[in-house]
Amino acid sequence: MSAPAIRTHPLPYVGLLAQRALDDIDTVVIHCTELPDLATAREYGERVLYAAGTGNSGHYYIDRDGRIEEYAPPGRIAHHTRGWNDRSIGIELVNTGRFPHWLDTRHQAMGEPYTDAQIAALVGLLQWLQGEAPALAQIAGHEDLDRDEVEASDDPAVKVRRKRDPGPLFPWAEVLGVVPLLRVA
């Protein structure tokens, strides 16, 4: 399959991310940005958080209009899911999620639906990635792989999920109906 339209927009530190063979990738992790827009997601991705001069970011970002941006090529290990980075590609869908009160007990609902354009772009990207990464066999939501709970920001006696993305409105059946990857649960 030919590549979908992807705008290459590498992070400033992309050259510092460790390299890997595409054969080492067996998982795609679906995220939502939990931020208001792509520009804000870019700002978060550019933040240097580690001594190596890198930060947290997915490989691909899909805006609400279906535009795909590549922040890190799949041959680089981006920091998007603890314990899974070496073997996975992170795809971020622009969506407000719980923004700006991520850990507040009163703001745990994720009510923004994903757009048809986002899902169509995601399906095209996944189909293309299956040809690029021969070992790609499974897909998971960030919430499937990071089940940690942390103290709620409004009440430290209560625990909330650290990660809930892509959330309950992500159309798993629709995506898996077109892109037959085994879902990690």
Side-chain angles (χ1 to χ4, degrees), residues 102-167:
W102 300 283
L103 302 178
D104 188 306
T105 59
R106 299 162 295 186
H107 297 279
Q108 292 301 296
M110 297 177 70
E112 181 185 353
Y114 294 93
T115 68
D116 292 342
Q118 279 179 308
I119 300 308
L122 173 63
V123 165
L125 180 60
L126 289 170
Q127 290 172 330
W128 175 70
L129 287 170
Q130 285 181 305
E132 296 296 302
L136 186 58
Q138 56 190 10
I139 189 170
H142 196 183
E143 64 194 340
D144 298 323
L145 304 177
D146 186 342
R147 296 178 176 271
D148 287 355
E149 292 185 343
V150 296
E151 292 179 356
S153 59
D154 62 316
D155 183 353
V158 176
K159 300 282 188 185
V160 294
R161 289 282 301 271
R162 195 175 87 81
K163 297 296 180 184
R164 296 200 59 221
D165 59 308

Side-chain angles (χ1 to χ4, degrees), residues 62-126:
I62 303 176
D63 209 346
R64 291 176 179 93
D65 64 2
R67 182 178 72 228
I68 303 171
E69 294 201 2
E70 180 186 272
Y71 286 8
R76 297 280 182 170
I77 299 172
H79 304 287
H80 59 94
T81 307
R82 292 184 301 179
W84 287 81
N85 294 323
D86 290 354
R87 61 189 283 192
S88 66
I89 292 173
I91 300 176
E92 297 268 359
L93 301 169
V94 175
N95 186 289
T96 54
R98 302 172 292 173
F99 176 83
H101 307 288
W102 300 283
L103 302 178
D104 188 306
T105 59
R106 299 162 295 186
H107 297 279
Q108 292 301 296
M110 297 177 70
E112 181 185 353
Y114 294 93
T115 68
D116 292 342
Q118 279 179 308
I119 300 308
L122 173 63
V123 165
L125 180 60
L126 289 170

Side-chain angles (χ1 to χ4, degrees), residues 2-111:
S2 63
I6 299 171
R7 177 177 179 243
T8 303
H9 192 190
L11 291 165
Y13 55 75
V14 75
L16 300 174
L17 296 172
Q19 293 185 314
R20 64 173 170 198
L22 295 180
D23 291 349
D24 295 339
I25 302 165
D26 68 358
T27 304
V28 169
V29 181
I30 305 296
H31 303 264
C32 81
T33 58
E34 292 206 78
L35 296 167
D37 53 42
L38 187 59
T40 306
R42 178 67 185 203
E43 289 173 22
Y44 272 74
E46 288 183 356
R47 292 179 182 176
V48 173
L49 302 172
Y50 307 115
T54 63
N56 292 333
S57 175
H59 292 86
Y60 297 98
Y61 285 69
I62 303 176
D63 209 346
R64 291 176 179 93
D65 64 2
R67 182 178 72 228
I68 303 171
E69 294 201 2
E70 180 186 272
Y71 286 8
R76 297 280 182 170
I77 299 172
H79 304 287
H80 59 94
T81 307
R82 292 184 301 179
W84 287 81
N85 294 323
D86 290 354
R87 61 189 283 192
S88 66
I89 292 173
I91 300 176
E92 297 268 359
L93 301 169
V94 175
N95 186 289
T96 54
R98 302 172 292 173
F99 176 83
H101 307 288
W102 300 283
L103 302 178
D104 188 306
T105 59
R106 299 162 295 186
H107 297 279
Q108 292 301 296
M110 297 177 70

